[in-house]
Amino acid sequence: MKPAPFVHHAPRTLEEAVAVLGEVGHDGKVLAGGQSLIPLLSMRLASPAHLVDVNGVAGLDAVEVTDTHVRVGALVRHAGLERHDGAAAALPLLRQALRNVAHPAIRTRGTTVGSIAHADPSGEMPAVTVLTGGVVEAAGPRGRREIAAADFFTGPLETTLAEDELVVAVRFGLLPAGTRTGFVESARRSGDYALAGVALAVGMDGDVVTSATASFVSVTPVPDVLDLGPALAGRSVGDLPLDDVAELVRSHVGPESDIHAPADYRRMLAAELTRRVLTTTTTPTEGAA
Ligand SMILES: Cc1cc2nc3c(=O)[nH]c(=O)nc-3n(C[C@H](O)[C@H](O)[C@H](O)COP(=O)(O)OP(=O)(O)OC[C@H]3O[C@@H](n4cnc5c(N)ncnc54)[C@H](O)[C@@H]3O)c2cc1C
């Protein structure tokens, strides 16, 4: 099918984009990489009268690495962030997760901020956003505001962003020194959306775990953070209670059955993937000090 007719707006500045969004209100949609929106339009699952195409807006394509965060502008493509060595050094979880987002062709066009704004529970980057204590920077006719990731996602494809606001950037928080991260997911084919996925951050003091948090892909309605610290803190790498951790995950996630997999299978998968990523993340790599 073809999309229903729409007016294409091509603002050149953030101010122009915000002004157009303010005028068209709920009849408008921001167009970034189009990798989620264009299929929705083509299938007529969405038919906004106005598309506010932000691809020509100057100043939205930067990645900035500071002492506290990695700031990703709204036009940074998944592939650009994945290739960014400074971002990967500051927060390895970004590259670990981005490698799992779709296929390379889609990563070349789709934006990381777009996937967060889209708020698909099957997306990898919403899970990374909450796990790192991320912050969403929004702009709209009433000015600019910041929204903690924990308050941003409210349901599948639903956020606290107003219809006339756009996300200017997302800041991923850096994790405390010594934190190790891992990301693992299982999909039917490489590049497909995950049946289940896990992002993990583990604080270590030598071979003793001091803290551990996880967030999940495709098995929770909104990305949230599970604190595994009570089960793991103080335990050494050779003595991790993996069965307890798996049970915690099984009782935390709430997957739905769909055409791809039954809920029980996804629940089991999330638990087993957590067990696996915990083991690999806490095992010193060959040659490490
Ligand atoms: C075959 C296929 C497989 C895929 N597999 C995966 C996968 O495994 N994991 C995954 O995470 N994603 C996957 N995707 C989606 C891909 O990552 C998208 O690029 C991403 O979800 C949306 O980013 P986008 O820039 O393309 O946004 P668009 O498609 O342009 O927009 C998506 C939605 O977000 C809104 N939006 C976008 N940017 C902003 C902004 N700055 N401010 C406010 N609202 C905004 C739009 O209005 C729209 O509602 C897949 C896509 C395809 C086609």
Side-chain angles (χ1 to χ4, degrees), residues 21 28-40 46 48 51-52 54-55 60 73-78 97-98 100-103 106-126 136-139 152 157 159 161-163 165-170 185 187 189-194 217-218:
L21 278 169
K29 273 274 175 202
V30 172
L31 174 67
Q35 298 303 293
S36 295
L37 185 56
I38 297 294
L40 289 174
L51 284 193
V52 184
V54 293
N55 283 277
L60 296 182
L75 285 178
V76 176
R77 314 291 164 176
H78 292 302
L98 282 161
N100 294 274
V101 175
H103 310 274
I106 290 158
R107 297 207 290 273
T108 298
R109 187 69 193 161
T111 66
T112 299
V113 165
S115 76
I116 293 162
H118 190 52
D120 186 338
S122 305
E124 288 77 5
M125 301 318 286
V136 174
E137 297 179 20
F152 185 70
L157 308 183
T159 71
L161 198 68
E163 285 167 336
E165 286 180 309
L166 67 85
V167 181
V168 176
V170 171
E185 70 176 40
R189 291 176 309 186
S190 170
D192 280 5
Y193 281 102
V217 176
S218 295

